[in-house]
Amino acid sequence: MSQEILYTSAPEGLKAGSRGFCTVVSTAGMAKNLAERLESLSGYRHAFETHDPRSKYNPVNYQHLIASVGGRKLHVLSRICDAGFDYTKRSNKLAHHVAIEPAEALVATGGPAWVMTSPGFFQTAWDGETRILPEGRPLRAEACPTRVCSRWKRLSAKAGDAGDEGWAGVLAENARTRGGKPISVIYPVGAEPLPLVVEALSLLPQEQRWQVTFSTYFTKLPAGLECQWRFIFDGSSEADVLRRNPHAQLIDLCKPLGAAPDGELVLAARRGIAPLTAPPKAQAPAPAGAVSQDTSDSPPEAAPDAGELTLAPPERVGRASRGGLPADDVLRSRMESAAKKRNSPLVFVMGGGAMLLFVAVFGLAAYLVTSGGNNNRQTVATADPPMEPTGPHATDAAAHAAAEASAAADKKRAAREKAAMEKAASDKAKAVKAKAVKAKADKEAADKTKAAQEREQELAFPFSALKKDPYRLVIPEYKSGGSLEGNQDNERQVRLGLVFSESPRNVSMELLGADL
């Protein structure tokens, strides 16, 4: 059974302590990684602000994506829309996501868009109550019939252009033949793209419908996801970018398109008849792009024997038979007529003339080849280069080349930016280091200067103290031993010796001798 969440802005969410944009309704027993994955798909950009009168034209995003959660793939059907103002009087959104197992999706043969149109499948409003749902919701099981794609005709019609249902077939052909490569459809304001998706998917085989991913209001995708059919809102930045890109796969429903290019699904979209997956063995191969349809009530005509020569197409023989003549008589008469024509002299004359003409042309060509010599070789050497492929394959190649060139340019730009950032960081580190070295050197120089000053102060001898006690002098703060010489009264010279006491802060100095 499916699992689902409802995500919007609320003062209190289903999870304890959650508020603002959060899950308010969830299926019971949902795994945490699945819930977080579904919440990440709830992005919505308001085309018009909530207070704008045009906000009623904000598009609804019906979305089918294939997400990998916990190593298993799930189909996620989503409806994301504008929800007016929230409890803080700011713009709000409402996202309803339904996760479906692949085995369950196979039961809904109509495809994802057909399931979305089922009445009551999506919740379009929230009543303000948080709750747990006991189980998921069932899927729409009835088949989606193939019908004339009238919505495409009506939406593609413009002044002087009646529109064409076949553009739905172009979209379906893209999914069937291009391996899921993205294609974009720009639609006007006020249009509803979901019916367009339903009509286009109905042209595909039932087993292929669930492989097509789409978004009816495409802006951007989370990482790791793909979207094949991207419906773009006219006036958005995405629409402007696509219209400027000559290599984009684009169907612009806002401009006259004319008739869609022929194709099997294009014809099916116009007629409302599902194409045959494989033609019957007894049926002659139909021309490319055509869908056979037998509306006659008569039984099928018998095919001629293997060895019988048929001079007319089977359908012409059939018309002769219905006119009242037996088919065998018609064939026999035509064979006899052809034999008579072959035996007539005119046939021999014409055949001989044709042979002579062939010989003359062949001889002239041989002469030109042999007489051309070096000129022919030069012509061959300078022949025009082979024409480049055109059409969808050329567009794909050009788009691929443009994408590769853009990726290479982005890579180079990123490398330059990284190198610039690394150089700036290196320069900053060097400046910081130089500043630190300079500060250290300045500090060492200041310390040396201070130490020298302190040393000078310590070595300064207070000679004036000798006048009070010529035989004993106490010098405070003296730290090292040695001898000092000084003058007493400037008349006689005395020699002093230092004697250290036990106190580290006092040094005793005694008179050892004097020279008179």
Side-chain angles (χ1 to χ4, degrees), residues 290-313:
V291 176
S292 61
Q293 182 181 7
D294 186 9
T295 58
S296 64
D297 297 332
S298 60
E301 300 168 359
D305 295 337
E308 185 178 359
L309 177 62
T310 303
L311 300 180

Side-chain angles (χ1 to χ4, degrees), residues 312-491:
E315 61 272 15
R316 296 183 62 184
V317 173
R319 285 196 295 269
S321 299
R322 288 193 292 271
L325 295 177
D328 294 338
D329 294 342
V330 174
L331 292 174
R332 189 178 298 107
S333 63
R334 291 184 178 178
M335 291 175 62
E336 293 175 355
S337 176
K340 291 179 180 180
K341 291 180 179 180
R342 286 197 300 269
N343 296 330
S344 63
L346 181 61
V347 172
F348 289 103
V349 173
M350 293 178 63
M355 181 62 69
L356 291 175
L357 180 62
F358 174 79
V359 171
V361 172
F362 181 80
L364 179 61
Y367 172 77
L368 292 176
V369 170
T370 55
S371 63
N374 295 332
N375 293 334
N376 285 344
R377 287 194 293 271
Q378 182 178 2
T379 303
V380 173
T382 60
D384 293 337
M387 296 180 62
E388 297 184 355
T390 60
H393 297 288
T395 303
D396 294 344
H400 183 68
E404 289 184 350
S406 178
D410 293 342
K411 186 175 181 181
K412 290 182 180 179
R413 183 170 60 256
R416 290 196 300 269
E417 293 176 354
K418 182 179 179 182
M421 293 175 62
E422 291 178 352
K423 184 177 183 305
S426 176
D427 294 343
K428 184 177 180 180
K430 290 180 180 179
V432 171
K433 184 176 180 181
K435 185 177 180 181
V437 171
K438 184 177 183 303
K440 183 178 180 181
D442 293 344
K443 185 175 182 302
E444 291 178 353
D447 292 344
K448 289 182 180 179
T449 302
K450 183 177 179 181
Q453 292 176 353
E454 291 177 352
R455 182 68 177 173
E456 291 177 358
Q457 291 177 359
E458 291 176 354
L459 294 178
F461 188 80
F463 292 102
S464 60
L466 293 175
K467 294 182 179 181
K468 298 181 179 180
D469 190 352
Y471 299 100
R472 188 173 183 83
L473 178 66
V474 178
I475 304 176
E477 303 294 335
Y478 202 86
K479 299 179 181 178
S480 60
S483 62
L484 296 173
E485 293 183 0
N487 292 327
Q488 183 182 15
D489 297 333
N490 297 323
E491 293 180 357

Side-chain angles (χ1 to χ4, degrees), residues 40-393:
S40 69
L41 303 178
S42 303
Y44 182 82
R45 182 201 303 165
H46 289 75
F48 304 106
E49 295 298 331
T50 307
H51 55 77
D52 193 323
R54 298 173 297 171
S55 62
K56 61 182 178 181
Y57 297 116
N58 276 325
V60 178
N61 185 16
Y62 291 95
Q63 184 171 267
H64 168 231
L65 301 175
I66 301 177
S68 178
V69 181
R72 59 193 181 117
K73 289 187 176 181
L74 296 174
H75 296 275
V76 181
L77 307 184
S78 305
R79 182 186 186 274
I80 312 170
C81 66
D82 173 28
F85 293 104
D86 68 353
Y87 67 101
T88 63
K89 303 304 179 184
R90 290 181 293 185
S91 297
N92 194 10
K93 62 184 177 182
L94 179 69
H96 187 192
H97 304 287
V98 182
I100 303 170
E101 296 282 351
E104 186 179 3
L106 294 178
V107 179
T109 58
W114 182 247
V115 171
M116 292 178 183
T117 59
S118 177
F121 180 78
F122 278 128
Q123 192 166 336
T124 59
W126 179 50
D127 57 6
E129 296 292 332
T130 59
R131 58 183 174 275
I132 299 290
L133 302 177
E135 59 181 6
R137 58 192 64 212
L139 303 183
R140 189 176 190 177
E142 63 266 24
C144 176
T146 302
R147 64 188 67 154
V148 176
C149 299
S150 57
R151 294 292 187 103
W152 282 88
K153 179 179 177 64
R154 188 160 55 248
L155 200 55
S156 61
K158 298 292 181 294
D161 185 358
D164 188 1
E165 307 91 338
W167 289 106
V170 173
L171 196 65
E173 288 280 5
N174 178 81
R176 189 175 69 167
T177 61
R178 288 172 53 82
K181 292 185 178 180
I183 182 172
S184 301
V185 180
I186 300 178
Y187 62 94
V189 177
E192 296 183 4
L194 185 60
L196 302 179
V197 181
V198 173
E199 290 182 345
L201 282 181
S202 70
L203 303 174
L204 295 174
Q206 295 179 358
E207 64 274 9
Q208 194 176 358
R209 294 172 184 175
W210 281 96
Q211 302 306 316
V212 178
T213 54
F214 61 85
S215 172
T216 63
Y217 179 34
F218 181 84
T219 52
K220 62 180 179 179
L221 280 175
L225 296 177
E226 295 180 354
C227 182
Q228 297 169 241
W229 293 357
R230 304 176 177 187
F231 286 78
I232 309 297
F233 188 69
D234 185 30
S236 63
S237 57
E238 290 80 8
D240 296 337
V241 171
L242 285 170
R243 285 169 174 152
R244 291 196 299 266
N245 184 4
H247 305 296
Q249 293 293 319
L250 175 63
I251 300 175
D252 193 349
L253 295 177
C254 299
K255 298 180 179 180
L257 295 174
D262 291 336
E264 184 181 17
L265 296 183
V266 172
L267 189 59
R270 292 168 180 163
R271 294 184 176 181
I273 302 175
L276 296 175
T277 55
K281 294 182 180 180
Q283 181 180 355
V291 176
S292 61
Q293 182 181 7
D294 186 9
T295 58
S296 64
D297 297 332
S298 60
E301 300 168 359
D305 295 337
E308 185 178 359
L309 177 62
T310 303
L311 300 180
E315 61 272 15
R316 296 183 62 184
V317 173
R319 285 196 295 269
S321 299
R322 288 193 292 271
L325 295 177
D328 294 338
D329 294 342
V330 174
L331 292 174
R332 189 178 298 107
S333 63
R334 291 184 178 178
M335 291 175 62
E336 293 175 355
S337 176
K340 291 179 180 180
K341 291 180 179 180
R342 286 197 300 269
N343 296 330
S344 63
L346 181 61
V347 172
F348 289 103
V349 173
M350 293 178 63
M355 181 62 69
L356 291 175
L357 180 62
F358 174 79
V359 171
V361 172
F362 181 80
L364 179 61
Y367 172 77
L368 292 176
V369 170
T370 55
S371 63
N374 295 332
N375 293 334
N376 285 344
R377 287 194 293 271
Q378 182 178 2
T379 303
V380 173
T382 60
D384 293 337
M387 296 180 62
E388 297 184 355
T390 60
H393 297 288

